């Protein structure tokens, strides 16, 4: 792979903008950070608090603290600086771009591509590919990645290209306004669709795994809606919609209701083949080394135009081939 150091990384501050506001009288008694959120709706409160702490916000020419109470009439001067967010390098990794404009980038992630660098995967990730394609993303936290897909899950995800876009997209995620639809092939013949509403947390014994937890205080709310897309012999192709976005949520919930995702190396247990399994299907299963899960559809409100936008991509060839084999059992 070709590596390149992003030119923007040479300077700590690559872009800055100065703004000035006058606090209204009816803001009396409000915190400084609260007032600034009103003036700067495109930026998160945590980011504004960071700027205040760094001394980029002046109240009547002097630095202050986020919790300072305003009286009204103060002049607020703020220097908005975009700083590089890490020491990552861009790598010339091909990207399947579904949509791109000045604010967002929609990617069809292939199987096997890790989204973000972590222990054991410091390079060769989607983040590295994004920095090669768009070097200025080094100024956005996590290079603009606002949601993730597991390494061996394919499909759609959106990337923010500006701080403003990132704030809007994160807010939509938090308000559960994204539409995220997945396709999965699960073990067993489902009789109908339904909803799994069961909190997810760390497995009490196997800490690298997630699990449904009995005590909701030990996990986070997780809601998964599913319906039958196609009935297959001994298996079911399902359409899954996420209301929340917990780690491994679909995989954990499908295993919890005893319909684990085919090929899931963590939650499906040992490979169980049907008695009438053909040699071709048996060999395919032995070579199918990932969970049969694909992020098929993504919908969101554009952070600038406010237009509702949707994208949809078919599952990759390996899942299509698996369905064909299962139809012919």
């Amino acid at each position: 792979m070709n590596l390149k150091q992003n030119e923007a990384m040479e300077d700590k501050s690559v872009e800055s903008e100065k703004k000035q506001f006058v606090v209204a009288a009816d803001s009396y008694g409000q915190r400084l950070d609260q007032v600034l959120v009103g003036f700067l709706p495109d930026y998160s409160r945590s980011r504004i608090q960071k700027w205040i702490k760094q001394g980029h916000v002046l109240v009547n020419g002097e630095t202050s603290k986020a919790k300072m109470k305003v009286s009204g009439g103060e002049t607020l001067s703020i220097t908005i600086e975009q700083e590089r967010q890490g020491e990552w390098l861009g790598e010339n990794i091909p990207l399947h771009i579904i949509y791109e404009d000045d604010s967002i980038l929609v990617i069809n992630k292939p199987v096997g591509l890790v989204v973000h660098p972590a222990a054991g995967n410091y390079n060769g990730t989607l983040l590295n590919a994004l920095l090669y394609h768009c070097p200025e993303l080094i100024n956005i936290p996590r290079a603009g990645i606002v949601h993730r897909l597991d390494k061996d899950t394919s499909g759609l995800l959106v990337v923010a290209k500006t701080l403003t876009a990132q704030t809007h997209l994160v807010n939509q995620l938090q308000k559960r306004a994204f539409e995220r639809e997945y396709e999965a092939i699960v073990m067993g013949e489902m009789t109908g669709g339904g909803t799994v509403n069961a909190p997810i947390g760390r497995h009490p014994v196997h800490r690298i795994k997630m699990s449904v937890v009995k005590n909701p205080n030990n996990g986070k709310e997780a809601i998964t809606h599913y319906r039958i897309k196609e009935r297959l012999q001994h298996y079911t192709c399902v359409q899954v919609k996420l209301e929340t976005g917990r780690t491994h949520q679909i995989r954990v919930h499908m295993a919890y209701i005893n319909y684990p995702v085919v090929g899931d190396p963590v939650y499906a247990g040992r490979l169980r083949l049907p008695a009438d399994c053909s040699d071709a299907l048996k060999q395919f299963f032995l070579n199918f080394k990932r969970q049969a899960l694909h992020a098929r559809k993504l919908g969101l409100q554009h952070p600038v135009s406010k237009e509702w936008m949707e994208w949809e991509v078919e599952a990759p060839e390996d899942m299509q081939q698996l369905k064909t084999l299962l139809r012919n059992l």
Side-chain angles (χ1 to χ4, degrees), residues 4 27 37-38 113 155 169 205 232 267 303 323 329:
K4 73 174 183 180
S27 296
V37 166
L113 183 63
L169 292 175
V205 178
L232 303 163
Y267 303 102
K323 284 192 291 184
L329 265 178

Side-chain angles (χ1 to χ4, degrees), residues 98 156 181 229 294 296-298 310-314:
I98 302 299
L156 295 169
E181 181 182 302
K229 183 177 177 67
H294 172 70
R296 181 187 183 94
K297 186 176 181 180
L298 176 66
E310 291 182 357
W311 303 270
E312 188 169 349
V313 291
E314 292 293 328

Side-chain angles (χ1 to χ4, degrees), residues 118-307:
N121 292 287
Y122 292 109
N123 50 38
T125 71
L126 175 64
L127 183 145
N128 300 111
L130 288 169
L131 290 177
Y132 187 92
H133 173 73
C134 189
E136 58 268 29
L137 287 176
I138 194 65
N139 303 312
I140 313 297
R142 297 174 298 283
I145 297 169
V146 296
H147 64 125
R148 302 185 185 188
L149 295 175
D150 296 334
K151 175 184 176 182
D152 290 326
T153 297
S154 57
L156 295 169
L157 54 77
V158 63
V159 176
K161 294 178 69 175
T162 67
L163 286 173
T164 298
Q166 185 191 50
T167 300
H168 280 273
L169 292 175
V170 169
N171 286 340
Q172 287 185 60
L173 268 177
Q174 292 174 343
K175 295 176 181 177
R176 304 179 183 179
F178 271 25
E179 181 179 353
R180 290 177 290 171
E181 181 182 302
Y182 293 71
E183 180 178 324
I185 302 172
V186 300
M187 300 168 66
E189 298 182 21
M190 284 187 175
T191 57
T195 296
V196 183
N197 186 344
I200 291 176
R202 286 287 170 189
H203 193 284
V205 178
H206 306 290
R207 302 303 293 174
I208 63 171
K209 295 174 62 175
M210 308 301 289
S211 68
V212 168
V213 294
K214 294 181 179 179
N215 184 348
N217 294 326
N218 295 332
K220 295 182 179 179
E221 181 186 30
I223 302 173
T224 304
H225 307 282
Y226 64 95
R227 68 178 181 86
I228 295 173
K229 183 177 177 67
E230 182 178 356
R231 299 179 190 275
L232 303 163
Q233 289 292 329
H234 308 294
Y235 299 87
T236 308
C237 181
V238 293
Q239 176 182 304
V240 183
K241 287 192 175 183
L242 289 181
E243 191 168 323
T244 55
R246 309 304 174 204
T247 301
H248 300 172
Q249 179 172 321
I250 294 174
R251 298 163 62 189
V252 171
H253 273 174
M254 291 298 99
Y256 177 68
I257 62 174
N258 298 315
Y259 292 100
V261 177
V262 168
D264 191 329
V266 179
Y267 303 102
R270 66 179 181 83
L271 178 63
R272 301 190 298 273
L273 298 175
D276 52 354
C277 181
S278 67
D279 290 339
L281 180 58
K282 183 182 298 183
Q283 189 59 48
F284 186 89
F285 270 127
L286 291 174
N287 294 327
F288 194 79
K289 302 296 185 181
R290 66 143 178 138
Q291 60 269 7
L293 182 61
H294 172 70
R296 181 187 183 94
K297 186 176 181 180
L298 176 66
L300 54 85
Q301 184 187 64
H302 191 277
V304 176
S305 70
K306 304 300 185 278
E307 175 189 1

Side-chain angles (χ1 to χ4, degrees), residues 28-90:
Y28 177 87
Q30 293 185 18
R31 286 170 52 119
L32 174 60
D33 57 350
Q34 183 181 1
V35 171
L36 278 171
V37 166
F39 284 127
L40 301 167
D42 290 337
Y43 299 98
S44 66
R45 188 165 181 168
S46 61
R47 193 181 307 281
I48 288 170
Q49 289 172 337
K50 179 181 178 182
W51 287 334
I52 295 172
K53 187 175 182 179
Q54 291 175 333
H56 296 323
V57 176
L58 301 180
V59 181
N60 292 332
E62 297 182 357
T63 59
S64 186
K65 294 183 178 180
K67 63 182 180 180
M68 185 207 87
K69 302 293 181 66
V70 301
S71 300
E74 296 95 337
T75 297
L76 308 181
S77 302
I78 180 168
T79 301
I80 298 173
E81 291 192 349
Q82 294 186 12
E83 298 177 354
R84 58 180 177 146
Q85 299 294 314
E87 300 299 328
W88 306 296
L89 297 174

